[in-house]
């Protein structure tokens, strides 16, 4: 695919496989790298079955799940068949279930905490006078995103009450642009709302909605907006630039592409936690190699 994040993950696995003298065969759910959810689960299940038929010793799987209940039947059956054939299966980046041998991913709670703590400590007074806007921006259903929120609000010392982000969720309303989720009851969160946005344009609309609430007096002006991924952060930035507020409201986020790093350097983002997809790929190969060489379970 053309997704640079997964491209870096693949490069890490490729380099480590070369060092270990292992042959690495790759499969993609789509050329664009944008297929997610049930379709991606079906494709990955087919790839797992094919890997077993081709004599693979270990399998690395990375999938952005739409919802755990939808992917489990496809993935679990394929993984079980592979494991029965003596093949280890590891998930990279996104957890797909406890049925895999191991999952290698970013500690999203810790990343969110680090961003929240830095934001809290680097601007004394804002935690008392300013409000915090949270843009809830998963590309698909993803526990990782919720973990980023849990970590952030803890790091920022917010008094937050939230429900488990389970399969049923706590959605009050859903439209084509964004989903309004009332996880938070803390008054420091603008309108106590997050926005599920699939693209930067949706995050931009969510940010504009927050600013409109400020304008009509139903919310206070935020001093910080926390976007749960970089795509959402750039959407928030576009909204702030349209309102001439980019120098007054800080943006914090997680991901760390070259574009995000440049945004921090240029002062467009105040802070961004960086993921290491290449390290995920590398560690996946290391775990398979250790299992084959030393019998160490992943």
């Amino acid at each position: 695919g053309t997704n640079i994040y997964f491209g870096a993950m693949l490069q890490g696995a490729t380099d480590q496989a070369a060092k270990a003298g292992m042959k690495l065969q790759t499969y993609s759910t789509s050329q664009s790298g944008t297929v997610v959810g049930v379709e991606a689960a079906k494709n990955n299940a087919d790839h797992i079955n094919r890997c077993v038929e081709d004599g693979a010793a270990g399998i690395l799987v990375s999938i952005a799940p739409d919802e755990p209940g939808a992917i489990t039947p496809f993935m679990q059956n394929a993984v079980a068949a592979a494991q029965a054939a003596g093949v280890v299966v590891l998930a990279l980046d996104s957890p797909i279930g406890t049925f895999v041998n191991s999952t290698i991913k970013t500690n999203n709670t810790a990343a969110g905490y680090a961003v929240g703590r830095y934001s809290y400590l680097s601007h004394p007074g804002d935690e008392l006078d300013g409000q915090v806007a949270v843009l809830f921006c998963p590309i698909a259903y993803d526990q990782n995103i919720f973990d980023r929120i849990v970590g952030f609000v803890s790091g920022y010392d917010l008094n937050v009450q939230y429900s488990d982000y389970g399969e049923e969720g706590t959605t009050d309303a859903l439209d084509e642009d964004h989903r309004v989720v009332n996880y938070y009851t803390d008054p420091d969160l603008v309108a106590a709302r997050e926005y599920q946005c699939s693209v930067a344009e949706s995050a931009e609309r969510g940010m504009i909605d927050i600013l409109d609430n400020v304008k009509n007096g139903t919310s206070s002006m935020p001093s910080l907006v926390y976007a749960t991924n970089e795509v959402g952060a750039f959407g928030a930035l576009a909204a702030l630039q349209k309102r001439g507020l980019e120098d007054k409201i800080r943006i914090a986020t997680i991901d760390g592409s070259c574009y995000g790093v440049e945004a921090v350097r240029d002062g467009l983002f105040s802070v961004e936690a960086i993921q290491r997809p290449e390290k995920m790929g590398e560690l996946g190969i290391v775990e398979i190699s250790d299992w084959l060489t030393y019998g160490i379970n992943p």
Side-chain angles (χ1 to χ4, degrees):
T2 57
N3 186 301
I4 59 174
Y5 182 87
F6 293 105
M9 187 184 296
L10 174 60
Q11 190 61 57
T14 300
D15 292 345
Q16 185 60 33
K19 291 179 183 178
M22 300 172 66
K23 179 182 177 181
L24 180 66
Q25 178 66 47
T26 62
Y27 303 87
S28 177
T29 57
S30 71
Q31 290 302 309
S32 65
T34 58
V35 175
V36 298
V38 175
E39 183 179 354
K42 289 180 178 178
N43 290 344
N44 275 287
D46 290 340
H47 294 328
I48 290 173
N49 293 332
R50 181 177 173 184
C51 287
V52 174
E53 294 172 359
D54 291 344
I59 300 172
L60 304 176
V61 179
S62 184
I63 179 174
D66 233 345
E67 52 181 296
I71 73 162
T72 298
F74 304 110
M75 298 299 295
Q76 190 163 8
N77 291 341
V79 170
Q83 292 168 331
V87 180
V88 294
V89 182
L90 284 68
L92 301 182
D93 185 55
S94 294
I96 61 174
T98 57
F99 50 85
V100 295
N101 294 88
S102 179
T103 298
I104 301 171
K105 67 182 187 71
T106 298
N107 185 330
N108 287 285
T109 304
Y113 181 88
V115 170
R117 203 66 192 155
Y118 175 86
S119 299
Y120 181 86
L121 295 175
S122 62
H123 288 72
D126 277 3
E127 71 276 9
L128 300 176
D129 301 326
Q131 306 291 302
V132 179
V134 175
L135 286 174
F136 176 66
C137 307
I139 294 175
Y141 178 105
D142 196 342
Q143 180 67 38
N144 289 342
I145 296 298
F146 185 61
D147 290 343
R148 294 179 184 186
I149 297 177
V150 171
F152 173 81
V153 298
S154 176
Y156 206 85
D157 275 1
L158 293 171
N159 176 24
V160 173
Q161 298 176 8
Y162 52 86
S163 64
D164 289 335
Y165 185 39
E167 293 179 31
E168 296 181 359
T170 57
T171 303
D172 283 348
L174 177 65
D175 64 27
E176 62 182 7
D177 292 330
H178 53 255
R179 184 171 62 182
V180 179
V181 186
N182 289 322
Y183 287 123
Y184 298 100
T185 57
D186 193 289
D188 289 340
L189 289 171
V190 172
R193 305 166 82 185
E194 299 98 38
Y195 293 81
Q196 175 174 302
C197 27
S198 58
V199 294
E201 288 80 6
S202 294
E204 181 180 341
R205 286 192 290 271
M207 189 72 241
I208 288 175
D209 195 4
I210 289 174
L211 296 175
D212 285 343
N213 288 338
V214 173
K215 187 176 180 180
N216 65 30
T218 59
S219 297
S220 300
M221 177 67 75
S223 60
L224 171 72
V225 56
Y226 172 58
T228 55
N229 60 30
E230 194 176 279
V231 174
F234 277 110
L237 175 63
L240 295 178
Q241 289 174 331
K242 288 181 178 179
R243 299 292 179 91
L245 295 170
E246 67 272 21
D247 294 329
K248 297 181 179 180
I249 299 177
R250 293 175 291 137
I251 298 175
T253 189
I254 295 176
D255 268 337
S257 76
C258 54
Y259 305 108
V261 172
E262 289 176 1
V264 173
R265 182 195 63 194
D266 296 340
L268 300 175
F269 296 168
S270 63
V271 60
E272 179 170 19
I274 297 177
Q275 295 197 91
R276 295 288 303 278
E278 76 284 357
K279 194 68 175 178
M280 297 178 199
E282 174 189 327
L283 291 176
I285 295 297
V286 168
E287 291 208 9
I288 292 175
S289 178
D290 286 348
W291 176 73
L292 291 173
T293 306
Y294 307 109
I296 300 174
N297 290 324

